[in-house]
Amino acid sequence: MNDDEKRLQRRQRLMDNKVYQAMTGLSRYLDRYYLDALIGLIPGWGDAIALVSVVPFVYFSLRVVRSVPLTLAVLNNALRDVLLGMIPFFVGDIIDVFHRANTRNMAMIQGFVDGDEAVIRQVNQRAFQSVVVLLLLLLLIALMLWALVSFFSSIKSVF
């Protein structure tokens, strides 16, 4: 059996994985049918649900593909999506229509599964950058939560 046949068998085994199939469905429904943006309309809960939807992507990239840099890139996309979705007054929900983090994550994972050297090289080169961006995004999300809580508390005290 040559390398191409081994790669095709590995690819088929990964694509038959139930988690991979769940990720494909999540990408389709959340991004193509804009459910990510619609769910984002639920204050507070929408972004939490969107963040939970990244769990299969993280699991697959870390446990099945076994790539820490890919996992960091997937988390980076997910946290960026949450941060953008938290922008108030429907701006974040409009951005969610165009950002499509799940589709981006699926493309990166597919590139790893297919052995796309450009995708693998790009993610590996950005591993350190992903850690820094992840820490920054977590900080920004915490600040955004604080700002939203402060804003709604001030509105509540006015009424």
Side-chain angles (χ1 to χ4, degrees):
M1 185 179 302
N2 65 27
D3 289 339
D4 288 336
E5 290 173 347
K6 287 180 184 178
R7 189 174 341 142
L8 286 174
Q9 280 185 342
R10 179 177 186 262
R11 180 178 189 263
Q12 189 59 46
R13 189 179 74 248
L14 292 175
M15 290 177 70
D16 289 341
N17 186 303
K18 291 184 189 294
V19 176
Y20 183 89
Q21 293 169 3
M23 293 183 319
T24 303
L26 282 170
S27 294
R28 179 176 50 251
Y29 289 110
L30 291 175
D31 289 345
R32 271 193 235 155
Y33 299 137
Y34 307 110
L35 287 181
D36 189 18
L38 290 173
I39 292 170
L41 293 172
I42 305 168
W45 288 99
D47 296 313
I49 292 169
L51 192 56
V52 169
S53 72
V54 80
V55 170
F57 294 92
V58 171
Y59 175 84
F60 193 83
S61 61
L62 189 60
R63 300 291 294 172
V64 179
V65 179
R66 297 183 186 266
S67 172
V68 172
L70 176 62
T71 305
L72 291 172
V74 165
L75 285 170
N76 187 338
N77 275 340
L79 291 175
R80 184 175 296 150
D81 186 51
V82 169
L83 180 65
L84 292 172
M86 291 175 75
I87 299 172
F89 306 114
F90 304 110
V91 174
D93 302 312
I94 293 168
I95 291 171
D96 267 345
V97 169
F98 300 104
H99 187 250
R100 299 183 176 209
N102 298 298
T103 301
R104 291 176 188 206
N105 285 339
M106 198 66 206
M108 280 191 301
I109 290 172
Q110 189 65 49
F112 263 74
V113 169
D114 290 342
D116 184 336
E117 292 180 21
V119 171
I120 294 170
R121 186 174 43 254
Q122 179 185 25
V123 171
N124 285 333
Q125 288 173 345
R126 294 184 180 173
F128 178 73
Q129 176 189 3
S130 291
V131 170
V132 172
V133 169
L134 282 171
L135 293 174
L136 181 62
L137 286 173
L138 286 171
L139 176 64
L140 289 172
I141 288 170
L143 288 173
M144 183 67 84
L145 283 171
W146 174 79
L148 289 172
V149 168
S150 297
F151 174 75
F152 286 116
S153 293
S154 67
I155 287 177
K156 184 179 176 183
S157 67
V158 170
F159 295 106

